[in-house]
Amino acid sequence: MSETPVKQQSTAAFYGQAVASFGLALLATAIGIYNLKADAWVRGFLGIAVLYLVTSAFTLAKVVRDRQEAGQIVSRVDQARLEKLLAEHDPFEKL
């Protein structure tokens, strides 16, 4: 008997909380860098470093998600092949 895995979806509240948390963290970091008592080039460097870190984190998250989804697809194809072979196999058939 095949069991179809239930696709996990996040709720709208979880999505909203994640977006709000990201926005708040980015805003707080930007305010901290702006109010930093340092030369403009130091603040600029820190700003660019934060943007680079954010884009790298998004890229890493996408790569991890894509790998996981690809593994699930391959697993489901292999499972379907196995189920087909088992359905077609007759243990009482003479060889």
Side-chain angles (χ1 to χ4, degrees), residues 3-9 72 76:
E3 293 181 24
T4 306
V6 178
K7 185 175 181 181
Q8 295 177 352
Q9 292 188 0
Q72 288 174 348
R76 287 186 14 206

Side-chain angles (χ1 to χ4, degrees), residues 26-37 43 46:
L26 197 58
L27 179 67
T29 304
I31 291 171
I33 290 173
Y34 179 77
N35 290 326
L36 187 65
K37 303 234 185 290
R43 291 193 312 259
L46 291 174

Side-chain angles (χ1 to χ4, degrees), residues 17-95:
Q17 186 255 344
V19 170
S21 175
F22 173 76
L24 183 64
L26 197 58
L27 179 67
T29 304
I31 291 171
I33 290 173
Y34 179 77
N35 290 326
L36 187 65
K37 303 234 185 290
D39 291 337
W41 72 270
V42 173
R43 291 193 312 259
F45 174 78
L46 291 174
I48 295 295
V50 167
L51 292 177
Y52 180 60
L53 180 62
V54 168
T55 57
S56 296
F58 277 114
T59 303
L60 177 62
K62 184 184 180 326
V63 168
V64 168
R65 185 198 64 201
D66 290 348
R67 262 191 157 176
Q68 181 184 13
E69 287 178 352
Q72 288 174 348
I73 290 170
V74 169
S75 176
R76 287 186 14 206
V77 168
D78 289 343
Q79 182 66 28
R81 286 181 183 157
L82 177 63
E83 287 178 5
K84 182 181 178 204
L85 283 173
L86 290 174
E88 293 173 350
H89 176 67
D90 183 7
F92 299 110
E93 180 183 327
K94 279 191 164 183
L95 295 177

